[in-house]
Amino acid sequence: MVTKNQLTAYCLLAHINDNDRGISDLAQVFIPLVKKTLATVMATGVRGGNTNDMKTEFDLLFRLDIPFGLMHRLMRQIQKETNCANKSPAIVLNGDGSFVLSEFEFTELDEVISQQAADIELIEDSYMEFVERAGLKTDSEPSVFEFLDRYHQELSGLFATRSDYEPTLEYTTPALFVESVKNNDTQFKILRRIYLGSLISSYLQLPVTTSGVNIKELVLDTSFLVSLLDLTSVEACHTCQMVLELARKIGCKITVLDITLDETRALLERCSESIDRLSLTHFLAPTSIEAGCARRKLSKTGLLRIVSSLRNTLDKDHGVTVYNVSARMKKKAQTSELYKKITGRTRNPDGAHHDGVANYYVATKRGDTPRSLLKTQCWFVSSQDPHSSPTLRIKGDGTFFESIRAEYLLNVMWLSSPSASDQEVGTLGLSRLVATTIERSLPSHTILREFNTNLKGLDPGELTAEDVALLANSTAVKSAKNLEKLNQLAQTDKEQFFSDVLSIADAERERVRELEERLNEGGLLQHKTEKKQKAAVEQLKIAHAELRRMKLSKIEEIEREIAAHENGIETSTSEAKRINMELRWLGGSLILLLCNTIWSIAQRFGWQETNAMISTLAIPLSLGLYAILGRTPRSLWKKLEVAAFTWVVQKNNVSESITVELNAKLVDLQNQLSKIPQEN
């Protein structure tokens, strides 16, 4: 279960990532969270401990399992940054992992945390209203936040425990909710932040010693090519494009087998025969070729034109190299255990030979047995198939299968080197997750195409385009079990089949009419949502006011320190002047004593002898003093005055440099204060 602390951490990670451009290592995104942990520890009165204590506190505060090594590395970086900005060390981190805190404050995330808490509550309330409006029980439906955490759970399982993650819940309702708020900019941005933060948190399970991925070659499957040509869904096309973009950046070779080109051409040519006819596949299978062609308004001729230029398009537009599979390789593949296992499957037997050869090619390119996701050198990449296994599969011996879906590969490549736009990754990933989850709950493409074939016997005038749309929206048809029963009925009793289909369309027409009437009764849901948003705004105002109060209090404290230092400097200056005056009196007294001594000598020996004695000794004494002290009597006197002032300043613990440092802190706080909205 995803906790509130975890959700807050996800939002913070996405916020930091959004506002700190140029990040090449996602480890940097976690630094503010470690700073917040240090400040929290400091606030409790703790002034020391070790890295293990900090990790424990971090895990409790954000419900994320940060590795010990990464925690130590980030604390070392924080020590360097913080101590450079302060005259005295604010944090001391020793080689054995122990640390000492003398002064550490971090309030930059306080406002963000308050806002995220309000955002999370808004989504919770909105989702509950959606569930109730759908006539479902709120306590029996899975959390929308668990749905957003899907990819994190899957990737973390692969990185940390090397185990498959199989979801135990059906997430159709949360997916439909996210789909329903796509046009609500406020709510969709919150959902995207949680999704992206969840994905970023998977970085904590990446092997810390690995720098980037070690992929040398990607071999593209038929489904990847079809999506890359924008013949399925928009999300699938963008995903494939981003995979190739990141692959090129790391110098990865992109390959397609000639047998894959042949299979792709044959598939598209078969589909061209039916794309001009409206069918349920257009509505219930958004990742199908039929739906993709309908979205792009492609006719049979347009699709065949794409088929004829397939090889040229892949080469010039996408930099894909075609590899011609030799008869010798095909023969060797057919004798392998891998080929035999693939060709023995029951699903898609027509493509088994192709997949067997392609997987064998990838296995030979890998060479060693890959046990690390990031170190696996070659992959057979397919596009999304909602009705296939949703996870990246691991063999019984702990090694990875040869194939990987494009969305998993994209997430792994981005986590190891986040060069693509995080906004694009977040929006695309969330949209793709929603689309595949919804489609997974619907009948498969095979069942839909069989149903479409059975409908051909109806009189064109009996089943209109509106009827087809109504059938697609009917729960009776959306159920794979019900649709299979209708297909079976078509084989035994055509008349009854046609009658049942038309009855379903009529029932759905009546249901839609009643729903429209209820929706027209008033904007009750909109009113509730607006009320929650106003409450969130009020909560944000309170957070702003509290943050301003804290900043103003700190500013007043620093202003008092500056005033005290300036007063201390003034007092020290006066004291130094007094000491200098006393030195002058002392000097004058010494001169008078010297004169008196000379007078006494003159009285005893006479002025002529005394004058000769002084003249003889004056020059050697002056030169001797200069040689010993390195300065003239005048400069020596000046040095004594400076030393007196320095001694007074140190005694009173005041200096101009401290004042300059305090003024710099004051300016920084005033700048922070100016950025906080001042609510009326």
Side-chain angles (χ1 to χ4, degrees):
M1 181 178 178
V2 187
T3 65
K4 287 288 181 68
N5 288 25
Q6 221 172 335
L7 290 172
T8 301
Y10 290 166
C11 292
L12 289 175
L13 289 172
H15 170 82
I16 296 163
N17 190 61
D18 287 347
N19 291 278
D20 195 352
R21 297 300 172 193
I23 290 178
S24 58
D25 178 6
L26 280 179
Q28 305 302 308
V29 178
F30 294 87
I31 287 180
L33 271 65
V34 177
K35 287 182 177 179
K36 180 63 181 174
T37 307
L38 281 167
T40 302
V41 168
M42 183 82 178
T44 62
V46 176
R47 294 293 182 270
N50 57 55
T51 308
N52 293 355
D53 299 330
M54 282 301 302
K55 173 191 160 39
T56 301
E57 187 64 31
F58 182 96
D59 293 354
L60 289 172
L61 193 58
F62 299 109
R63 297 297 174 184
L64 298 177
D65 185 14
I66 187 169
F68 289 103
L70 180 59
M71 172 62 80
H72 188 81
R73 176 158 65 95
L74 296 182
M75 285 184 67
R76 182 71 68 188
Q77 187 171 339
I78 292 168
Q79 173 191 238
K80 185 178 179 181
E81 293 174 0
T82 306
N83 293 349
C84 284
N86 294 294
K87 186 174 181 180
S88 58
I91 174 174
V92 176
L93 184 62
N94 301 312
D96 62 356
S98 62
F99 67 91
V100 178
L101 295 171
S102 59
E103 179 185 359
F104 195 87
E105 188 178 78
F106 186 71
T107 59
E108 292 178 17
L109 293 180
D110 291 353
E111 179 186 355
V112 181
I113 290 172
S114 297
Q115 176 61 52
Q116 305 310 333
D119 288 346
I120 291 167
E121 186 178 351
L122 174 64
I123 294 299
E124 271 185 323
D125 293 341
S126 184
Y127 178 59
M128 288 298 101
E129 288 174 2
F130 176 84
V131 172
E132 290 172 357
R133 194 169 76 255
L136 303 172
K137 294 180 180 179
T138 55
D139 57 352
S140 62
E141 289 299 317
S143 163
V144 65
F145 301 124
E146 290 179 20
F147 167 66
L148 298 174
D149 202 37
R150 279 279 306 280
Y151 280 135
H152 163 71
Q153 294 292 337
E154 294 173 11
L155 291 173
S156 294
L158 288 167
F159 295 146
T161 63
R162 300 192 47 73
S163 59
D164 290 341
Y165 167 78
E166 290 291 347
T168 56
L169 297 173
E170 175 59 55
Y171 289 105
T172 306
T173 302
L176 289 170
F177 166 72
V178 177
E179 181 71 18
S180 73
V181 298
K182 265 192 173 182
N183 295 324
N184 185 320
D185 195 50
T186 300
Q187 294 191 35
F188 191 74
K189 280 183 178 178
I190 297 170
L191 292 166
R192 182 182 63 197
R193 279 202 305 271
I194 295 172
Y195 168 82
L196 184 61
S198 170
L199 182 60
I200 292 172
S201 71
S202 304
Y203 176 85
L204 295 177
Q205 273 71 48
L206 277 174
V208 294
T209 57
T210 303
S211 56
V213 292
N214 193 36
I215 301 173
K216 304 297 183 185
E217 183 176 5
L218 297 181
V219 182
L220 309 184
D221 190 13
T222 301
S223 60
F224 189 99
L225 297 183
V226 173
S227 294
L228 183 64
L229 296 170
D230 195 16
L231 293 176
T232 55
S233 68
V234 173
E235 294 83 6
C237 177
H238 287 178
T239 299
C240 294
Q241 288 175 346
M242 287 185 68
V243 166
L244 296 191
E245 179 186 335
L246 291 178
R248 283 191 287 268
K249 285 182 179 178
I250 63 174
C252 178
K253 182 181 178 182
I254 304 167
T255 304
V256 64
L257 306 184
D258 59 342
I259 58 174
T260 305
L261 286 182
D262 294 340
E263 185 179 73
T264 304
R265 290 192 188 98
L267 172 64
L268 295 178
E269 285 171 356
R270 285 198 306 272
C271 289
S272 70
E273 298 298 327
S274 60
I275 64 170
D276 290 332
R277 294 193 299 270
L278 187 65
S279 68
L280 286 182
T281 312
H282 293 75
F283 298 97
L284 297 182
T287 60
S288 66
I289 297 172
E290 292 89 339
C293 290
R295 174 176 56 80
R296 292 183 56 187
K297 296 181 173 57
L298 279 175
S299 63
K300 176 181 178 179
T301 303
L303 182 57
L304 291 176
R305 190 177 294 116
I306 291 174
V307 173
S308 64
S309 60
L310 176 59
R311 185 165 187 154
N312 188 53
T313 300
L314 293 175
D315 177 27
K316 291 188 175 180
D317 295 351
H318 302 288
V320 178
T321 302
V322 178
Y323 178 84
N324 295 315
V325 181
S326 65
R328 184 182 175 205
M329 174 172 274
K330 290 179 184 178
K331 188 175 181 179
K332 289 181 70 175
Q334 290 168 0
T335 60
S336 68
E337 289 299 319
L338 178 61
Y339 179 90
K340 292 174 183 177
K341 183 177 289 187
I342 291 174
T343 52
R345 72 191 184 192
T346 56
R347 185 174 178 274
N348 187 22
D350 293 339
H353 169 71
H354 164 268
D355 292 351
V357 174
N359 278 273
Y360 176 79
Y361 173 87
V362 171
T364 58
K365 286 289 183 175
R366 283 182 173 180
D368 58 344
T369 305
R371 293 182 178 273
S372 169
L373 191 65
L374 300 179
K375 292 181 180 179
T376 304
Q377 295 188 14
C378 188
W379 288 100
F380 184 42
V381 193
S382 62
S383 185
Q384 59 188 18
D385 180 358
H387 298 282
S388 66
S389 175
T391 62
L392 177 62
R393 296 173 302 153
I394 299 176
K395 298 179 183 179
D397 60 357
T399 60
F400 291 100
F401 277 89
E402 287 68 27
S403 60
I404 187 173
R405 277 173 38 187
E407 58 264 39
Y408 288 100
L409 182 60
L410 174 60
N411 288 340
V412 172
M413 294 172 78
W414 183 77
L415 282 171
S416 61
S417 180
S419 54
S421 165
D422 48 84
Q423 294 281 352
E424 189 174 4
V425 170
T427 302
L428 176 60
L430 181 55
S431 299
R432 184 180 61 235
L433 178 62
V434 168
T436 53
T437 302
I438 293 174
E439 189 169 353
R440 194 176 293 126
S441 68
L442 301 173
S444 68
H445 297 185
T446 303
I447 295 174
L448 286 171
R449 287 182 179 125
E450 183 183 350
F451 186 75
N452 292 330
T453 302
N454 292 328
L455 286 178
K456 289 179 182 178
L458 267 175
D459 188 329
E462 288 187 86
L463 193 69
T464 64
E466 181 190 2
D467 292 330
V468 174
L470 288 168
L471 282 172
N473 201 45
S474 168
T475 54
V477 170
K478 284 182 179 179
S479 164
K481 188 177 292 186
N482 289 345
L483 205 57
E484 283 182 308
K485 287 181 179 178
L486 285 170
N487 283 336
Q488 291 170 4
L489 180 62
Q491 304 306 314
T492 58
D493 191 341
K494 280 281 186 182
E495 291 296 326
Q496 188 60 46
F497 168 75
F498 294 147
S499 175
D500 287 357
V501 166
L502 294 175
S503 296
I504 291 170
D506 290 338
E508 181 62 19
R509 186 180 290 105
E510 180 61 23
R511 191 190 70 82
V512 170
R513 185 189 63 76
E514 291 176 356
L515 179 61
E516 288 175 347
E517 287 180 357
R518 287 201 304 272
L519 291 175
N520 290 332
E521 290 176 359
L524 180 60
L525 178 62
Q526 182 180 359
H527 171 72
K528 287 183 179 179
T529 303
E530 288 175 354
K531 185 177 179 181
K532 295 295 181 183
Q533 289 174 341
K534 286 179 181 178
V537 170
E538 289 301 319
Q539 189 170 347
L540 183 59
K541 286 181 179 180
I542 294 171
H544 284 158
E546 177 62 18
L547 195 57
R548 285 185 65 84
R549 185 193 64 75
M550 292 169 59
K551 297 293 183 188
L552 286 169
S553 175
K554 190 66 177 177
I555 286 171
E556 290 173 0
E557 181 185 336
I558 291 179
E559 285 176 340
R560 285 194 296 271
E561 286 187 46
I562 291 172
H565 271 81
E566 289 177 343
N567 185 55
I569 291 172
E570 187 177 339
T571 303
S572 299
T573 303
S574 300
E575 189 175 350
K577 286 180 179 178
R578 179 181 58 77
I579 293 173
N580 287 335
M581 185 60 69
E582 291 174 353
L583 286 172
R584 287 191 179 96
W585 278 104
L586 178 62
S589 299
L590 289 172
I591 291 171
L592 286 173
L593 180 62
L594 180 62
C595 291
N596 185 57
T597 303
I598 293 171
W599 173 262
S600 299
I601 294 171
Q603 289 295 318
R604 183 175 179 179
F605 296 103
W607 283 105
Q608 188 172 355
E609 289 79 357
T610 302
N611 185 45
M613 188 188 303
I614 292 171
S615 299
T616 302
L617 295 174
I619 293 175
L621 284 171
S622 297
L623 291 173
L625 286 170
Y626 185 77
I628 294 169
L629 301 173
R631 51 178 50 84
T632 63
R634 180 179 177 82
S635 65
L636 177 61
W637 188 265
K638 194 69 179 175
K639 181 68 175 178
L640 285 172
E641 289 183 340
V642 172
F645 180 78
T646 304
W647 176 79
V648 171
V649 165
Q650 289 177 347
K651 179 173 71 72
N652 295 332
N653 194 28
V654 293
S655 70
E656 291 287 348
S657 62
I658 294 177
T659 306
V660 170
E661 183 181 331
L662 286 170
N663 276 309
K665 284 185 177 180
L666 181 63
V667 170
D668 183 50
L669 280 169
Q670 288 171 338
N671 288 335
Q672 291 179 29
L673 182 65
S674 65
K675 295 177 182 178
I676 303 172
Q678 188 169 2
E679 310 296 348
N680 297 323

